[in-house]
Amino acid sequence: MNTQIEFGIESPLFPSPKAIKGRGSRANIPGRFEIRQVELDADNEVVAAPTTEFRMETARSIITRNASPDVPFTLSVNPYRGCEQGCIYCFARPSHAYLDLSPGLDFETKISVKHNAAALFEQELRQPGYRCEPIALGINTDAYQPAEKTQEISRQILDVARQFKQPISIVTKSALILRDKDLLAEMARENLIHVAVSLTTLDNRLKRILEPRAADASSRLRVISELRAAGVPVSVLIAPVIPLLNEREMEQIIEAASDAGATSVAYILLRLPNEVAPLFIDWLYQHFPQRAGHILARIKDMRGGQLYNSRFGERMKGQGIFAELINQRFHLAAKKFGMNTSATEPLDCSRFS
């Protein structure tokens, strides 16, 4: 295969030469389950400003069990499918293929809202067979993405958890979580909550194209400071670490997180499963054409010669000399700035009622 086509420069999936302001992807690539593929003429352009569509979904269940051995939770609740933040690297993009939608623009513009999530959550917590353990809120897509500002599904779920004394962990890159500081502070007093702030870059120019509708770095650092002041335990997740792109910021991110009050830090190497790979490659060649080939080669060096290795134990950290160098830098910086890199303190399940 021609290297340029393989790396997405001349792919027919991406006919538009322009990025779409406020969106991560510029195309609706077909999902991996599609049996038909539509190719646009090269002169056709994607809609300049596609609007976001909210689709009300009546969920049949809400607590999902996860069996992956390399993630720190077994139960999760996701109020939304798709995410308007538009992070080009998002590992959840391929899940939109199950809805017969594209992991590209559809993932960012067609958002499913589980309007009955809170009622269903309460119903499942009341089941006689339920045994309390920490639940991760909004892991597949951010529970505090822009839709939450009007829908308030995550706040409703959090309030149910507060009433039942159900421990919750949250990962977010949104400043909207500060709206719920009252609930979080109350739960923190009983060791029922942990928040991880995803801090990918301190460079707002990079943030605008990498995570178009997510909060900027200063807002995320403010989230850390304000939640810590309210007594809420907060860690930082540097995710993803993209070699030769935001990798160079690792030490600065850890220092800034420490100054803001975070007590622990972790990182995840860039993951490119399924449809994420062609989307990311196209984005890379559009925004960093001179460096794209070098970055992709480095990713392969850290993935055993492939763009992605899904093997448990390796998919989060990579392998090889370059992955080990990142790991060493991470631990040295964490030690220098007094950040814990081990698992956070366990939440209290004994209070569940």
Side-chain angles (χ1 to χ4, degrees):
M1 178 181 288
N2 181 284
T3 302
Q4 288 187 322
I5 295 177
E6 179 186 1
F7 282 171
I9 299 177
E10 299 176 355
S11 169
L13 300 177
F14 306 100
S16 172
K18 297 179 181 178
I20 302 174
K21 186 176 181 180
R23 302 295 183 183
S25 173
R26 57 174 174 162
N28 262 331
I29 69 168
R32 60 195 179 284
F33 305 121
E34 295 283 349
I35 59 175
R36 292 178 296 177
Q37 179 173 328
V38 177
E39 295 186 5
L40 300 178
D41 295 333
D43 292 334
N44 271 340
E45 292 201 6
V46 179
V47 176
T51 57
T52 302
E53 174 187 342
F54 297 120
R55 300 179 169 195
M56 294 299 115
E57 174 183 341
T58 302
R60 291 181 292 180
S61 63
I62 198 66
I63 300 178
T64 302
R65 182 166 292 275
N66 168 67
S68 301
D70 54 358
V71 295
F73 63 89
T74 55
L75 300 180
S76 64
V77 167
N78 291 288
Y80 305 98
R81 300 179 195 258
C83 185
E84 198 177 357
Q85 289 176 341
C87 306
I88 191 61
Y89 55 75
C90 183
F91 69 88
R93 283 182 177 273
S95 64
H96 244 45
Y98 292 105
L99 304 177
D100 292 327
L101 294 171
S102 170
L105 270 175
D106 282 350
F107 179 79
E108 306 172 40
T109 59
K110 292 179 171 57
I111 312 299
S112 292
V113 178
K114 300 177 184 179
H115 65 90
N116 64 329
L120 202 53
F121 185 49
E122 179 173 348
Q123 178 182 323
E124 293 183 15
L125 291 182
R126 290 186 183 278
Q127 292 295 322
Y130 176 73
R131 296 295 177 266
C132 180
E133 57 184 289
I135 291 178
L137 174 61
I139 292 299
N140 203 36
T141 57
D142 200 320
Y144 286 94
Q145 62 173 283
E148 174 62 17
K149 187 173 183 178
T150 55
Q151 302 299 324
E152 298 190 355
I153 307 295
S154 295
R155 181 176 175 86
Q156 295 168 25
I157 290 172
L158 203 58
D159 192 39
V160 170
R162 179 191 61 82
Q163 294 174 49
F164 279 76
K165 300 189 185 301
Q166 164 64 51
I168 294 287
S169 63
I170 300 171
V171 179
T172 186
K173 52 173 65 75
S174 172
L176 181 59
I177 192 172
L178 292 175
R179 179 201 63 189
D180 297 340
K181 189 165 56 174
D182 57 333
L183 297 178
L184 297 170
E186 183 178 340
M187 294 178 72
R189 288 193 286 271
E190 298 184 275
N191 191 24
L192 297 174
I193 193 72
H194 177 267
V195 174
V197 173
S198 175
L199 190 54
T200 315
T201 178
L202 301 177
D203 182 348
N204 283 332
R205 291 175 299 178
L206 177 58
K207 197 282 315 175
R208 280 193 290 270
I209 56 174
L210 186 66
E211 306 166 329
R213 301 196 178 194
D216 61 20
S218 62
S219 296
R220 297 187 216 185
L221 292 170
R222 178 169 56 87
V223 167
I224 297 170
S225 297
E226 291 195 22
L227 290 183
R228 289 292 293 128
V232 180
V234 184
S235 63
V236 162
L237 181 62
I238 308 173
V241 173
I242 305 172
L244 304 174
L245 196 57
N246 71 334
E247 168 206 339
R248 60 185 174 82
E249 297 184 68
M250 179 176 286
E251 289 82 0
Q252 289 82 5
I253 291 173
I254 293 174
E255 181 180 12
S258 176
D259 290 344
T263 56
S264 63
V265 64
Y267 79 93
I268 298 175
L269 189 66
L270 175 69
R271 297 168 54 194
L272 297 175
N274 299 311
E275 295 91 345
V276 182
L279 287 166
F280 179 79
I281 290 169
D282 177 70
W283 175 89
L284 196 57
Y285 271 103
Q286 182 172 32
H287 294 287
F288 301 97
Q290 303 303 318
R291 286 192 278 164
H294 191 189
I295 292 171
L296 291 169
R298 180 62 56 85
I299 291 171
K300 287 186 173 184
D301 285 339
M302 302 166 76
R303 294 295 187 188
Q306 304 296 318
L307 281 175
Y308 184 53
N309 177 1
S310 62
R311 187 178 298 116
F312 293 135
E314 294 181 5
R315 61 178 184 160
M316 302 294 190
K317 304 296 184 185
Q319 61 187 107
I321 185 171
F322 294 113
E324 181 56 31
L325 284 172
I326 288 176
N327 189 54
Q328 290 178 12
R329 285 175 51 203
F330 168 78
H331 282 94
L332 284 171
K335 182 178 180 180
K336 177 180 178 180
F337 297 110
M339 299 281 276
N340 186 11
T341 59
S342 58
T344 56
E345 290 296 319
L347 299 176
D348 187 358
C349 294
S350 67
R351 300 173 183 268
F352 179 80
S353 57

